[in-house]
Amino acid sequence: MIPKIILGRGARATRRLIGYLYGPGSANEHTDPHLVASWNDFAPDPGRSPHRNPRDIEDQLAAQLDQPVKMLGDKAPTTSVWHCPIRAAPEDPILTDAQWADIARRIVAAAGIAPEGDEEACRWVAVRHADDHIHVAATLVRQDGRRPRRDHDIRAVQREARKIEADLGLRRLNPGDGTAAKRPTSREHFKAKRQGQGQDTTTREILRMRVRRAVAAASSETEFFALLEATGVDVRPKVGPSGDVLGYSVALPGDLNKHGEPVWFSGSTLAGDLSLPKIRHRLTDTRPEPVAARPADPWHQTTAAIERIPDHLSHSSDHIAQGQLVALGGTLDLLPLTAPAAARTELEQAAALFERATRSRITADADSARVLRRSVQTILRTPTTTRDGAGLAMLLDAALIAVAFAKHWHRTHQHAQQEAAAEQTLVHLQTAYAQVAAPVLNDLSRRTPGLQTQHRYARHLQQAAPDHADRILKDPAWDALATVLADAETAGHNPTTLLDQALGQRTLDDARNPARALTWRIHRLGQRHAPGPLAQAAMARSTTRRPSAQIHPPTATPTTPAAAPQQSHVRRR
């Protein structure tokens, strides 16, 4: 159940609101508007007065609500109307008028508008014009002429809504922390359906995603605004008297109000972290680094950065962990731009959901995640890499683990909404991963090496990872794993060494498909420069002399170390 408080001001604010509640709505969505409750239980009801002009009854109702306000004359508050729509979840049962009346009374009492038993409280009405919601309208002067005590009414109303959900057996929403982006209004949803022929994506949501993508892709403030304009967004900077840019607003071309003017949204109204000061803070450390003599593959670099996120979430400070989540959210925002059409919708949904998991009351350390931000930007700026199906599949495999750790991190910090968002993100990421990885794995499986080579790899696997060998060999991705090992061997790598390195990167205890996880690790290791014969011999001698334990993630229960030692890169003298 979602209550939302809106304040109204102006001499005719009450009359305008009553007219809207009893009118047809923006898209004729208001059906059978009528009162379900009021401050005195016998207020005039324009929806139940068939023998009189409804407009006259609306005037009468507005006048009665406004009476305490008018009594104050010039001392009346400018903001005099308190409006609270209360909406049930789509899966909730249709409530009766009596149930909605009880909900309205509980909400106005919790908000301090009309405490239970207070006969001098503010005047209010609850109007129902749809099955799934009501509107509570109140005037903000008590009948004794005083102002209501409604300190922190937003939080109080949300707490009461959680109790109502439990009492009536409705869908239980997670408590928030005030960091969620502003939801689109009902009017915005109806407008989107009219303009988009049934589509429910509002202008606010489209702009929010485009701004987030521009922030994730930009390395400077100038580039941020240029990217926004390149995506078809109208940008209007807010310039101060000194000539400095203090903020910005954005609009979609063709999205006009009733006066034929563009509908502008400031960055802060799209989301708290999209204000210009917050964006400047994120862009501070995103200047491009000097180009290396031999640049790393951006898919591999991005994947490696994502693979470090679980360790940051488990061992680093909360500020660094929050910075990692923000960077991961930016990566997910940009991935749809690099993905094949079949997976794009799922990735867009995953990014939209994970957005909620990137914001909390904890200040993010943006500098700690600069490698991830820069590497994913390089993917976008390198056209030859954007169609690398194996690279995207490998990255998504790492992202699935990172999002799972994000869910756990939010749970330990009691971030209920963020935890739920991460859990929902996993569903769409799993689907996108399957769509991207299936053709790549199938192609690798068709090139499986001969049985003798497979048996050689299997024998070493049984020695190196006895606890996981059976699962790996029975995994449908075993053929693909054997292929990438053979490809690496052809390129000059020692497959035994690569397998040891891949096994030592992370435990396979939490891997649903261990062969698939190893396939992507070997794929990345195998594309590195192969060491020469002397280096390989030295590495082999080091391996046989000094075994090392397998690395386990912080949240996993340590298991018996692998029998085969982990490869060392240090030459012994």
Side-chain angles (χ1 to χ4, degrees), residues 10-302:
R12 290 182 54 81
T14 304
R15 182 63 184 87
R16 287 196 302 269
L17 178 56
I18 294 300
Y20 166 73
L21 297 181
Y22 281 95
S26 302
N28 295 317
E29 72 276 13
H30 296 177
T31 59
D32 187 27
H34 60 278
L35 280 184
V36 294
S38 67
W39 77 96
N40 58 6
D41 290 330
F42 52 84
D45 184 0
R48 291 292 184 267
S49 302
H51 301 298
R52 298 178 60 184
N53 186 341
R55 293 292 182 89
D56 293 339
I57 308 302
E58 291 175 18
D59 291 340
Q60 183 182 349
L61 177 59
Q64 290 191 19
L65 286 169
D66 269 340
Q67 186 177 4
V69 179
K70 301 297 184 185
M71 292 281 292
L72 294 181
D74 294 340
K75 296 181 180 180
T78 303
T79 301
S80 60
V81 174
W82 188 88
H83 174 204
C84 182
I86 309 168
R87 185 178 300 273
E91 61 268 33
D92 285 339
I94 296 178
L95 303 177
T96 65
D97 281 358
Q99 288 174 313
W100 277 119
D102 181 63
I103 290 171
R105 294 186 184 95
R106 293 177 63 169
I107 290 295
V108 293
I113 296 295
E116 186 176 359
D118 187 349
E119 296 182 357
E120 299 297 322
C122 296
R123 296 186 176 188
W124 61 273
V125 293
V127 179
R128 181 180 189 178
H129 54 213
D131 287 338
D132 63 348
H133 71 279
I134 61 171
H135 291 256
V136 178
T139 45
L140 292 176
V141 175
R142 291 167 48 88
Q143 296 184 78
D144 57 11
R146 294 183 293 129
R147 307 286 178 85
R149 297 185 60 180
R150 55 181 191 88
D151 298 336
H152 308 293
D153 56 348
I154 295 176
R155 295 182 184 178
V157 163
Q158 292 292 341
R159 285 196 298 269
E160 188 64 27
R162 303 294 83 78
K163 296 177 183 177
I164 292 171
E165 291 163 358
D167 293 344
L168 297 184
L170 306 178
R171 177 188 173 188
R172 305 286 293 275
L173 298 183
N174 293 311
D177 56 4
T179 62
K182 185 176 180 180
R183 295 175 180 270
T185 65
S186 299
R187 184 174 299 181
E188 290 174 5
H189 277 297
F190 288 123
K191 183 178 181 180
K193 289 180 179 179
R194 290 198 314 273
Q195 296 180 342
Q197 298 178 347
Q199 297 300 317
D200 199 29
T201 305
T202 65
T203 297
R204 182 188 300 274
E205 293 166 313
I206 294 171
L207 288 172
R208 183 185 299 144
M209 178 50 67
R210 293 189 186 181
V211 172
R212 284 178 60 85
R213 284 180 176 169
V215 174
S219 57
S220 68
E221 184 177 331
T222 301
E223 187 179 11
F224 163 68
F225 286 123
L227 288 171
L228 269 183
E229 292 177 344
T231 59
V233 174
D234 292 335
V235 181
R236 184 176 65 182
K238 179 182 178 182
V239 181
S242 64
D244 295 333
V245 178
L246 305 179
Y248 71 99
S249 297
V250 289
L252 281 183
D255 183 40
L256 308 176
N257 60 21
K258 62 182 180 181
H259 303 294
E261 301 167 338
V263 180
W264 294 97
F265 294 83
S266 66
S268 59
T269 60
L270 295 177
D273 57 348
L274 296 182
S275 66
L276 188 57
K278 295 289 182 66
I279 290 174
R280 283 173 173 162
H281 178 70
R282 286 179 61 180
L283 295 177
T284 299
D285 299 300
T286 57
R287 296 182 300 274
E289 294 180 333
V291 178
R294 187 175 181 179
D297 184 299
W299 289 102
H300 294 182
Q301 193 173 33
T302 304

Side-chain angles (χ1 to χ4, degrees), residues 381-525:
R381 295 165 183 167
T382 311
T384 56
T385 67
T386 55
R387 296 184 181 276
D388 188 346
L392 179 57
M394 176 179 59
L395 190 153
L396 289 176
D397 184 69
L400 281 166
I401 297 174
V403 173
F405 271 76
K407 173 187 170 183
H408 175 75
W409 186 83
H410 282 306
R411 180 189 301 147
T412 60
H413 287 73
Q414 298 183 346
H415 299 162
Q417 289 188 359
Q418 291 89 331
E419 178 191 351
E423 184 174 12
Q424 293 168 345
T425 301
L426 286 172
V427 176
H428 294 284
L429 273 187
Q430 287 280 9
T431 303
Y433 173 82
Q435 293 167 337
V436 172
V440 179
L441 294 173
N442 290 339
D443 180 65
L444 291 172
S445 298
R446 284 193 292 268
R447 299 190 293 109
T448 305
L451 289 177
Q452 184 176 357
T453 301
Q454 290 188 54
H455 290 159
R456 176 160 54 89
Y457 297 154
R459 283 196 300 272
H460 179 72
L461 183 63
Q462 289 167 339
Q463 295 173 353
D467 294 336
H468 302 290
D470 286 343
R471 280 207 307 145
I472 294 171
L473 295 174
K474 293 177 182 178
D475 192 317
W478 161 247
D479 289 342
L481 173 57
T483 300
V484 294
L485 281 169
D487 288 346
E489 188 171 13
T490 301
H493 289 276
N494 184 327
T496 298
T497 300
L498 286 187
L499 193 55
D500 287 340
Q501 290 176 340
L503 287 167
Q505 286 180 351
R506 279 194 78 253
T507 183
L508 296 174
D509 291 341
D510 55 358
R512 292 183 179 181
N513 303 94
R516 193 177 69 184
L518 286 176
T519 296
W520 304 127
R521 297 181 196 177
I522 297 293
H523 172 77
R524 191 164 81 255
L525 293 170

Side-chain angles (χ1 to χ4, degrees), residues 531-553:
L534 293 178
Q536 288 195 25
M539 292 164 66
R541 288 196 300 272
S542 175
T543 301
T544 57
R545 290 177 184 174
R546 184 167 56 88
S548 59
Q550 188 176 4
I551 299 174
H552 291 269

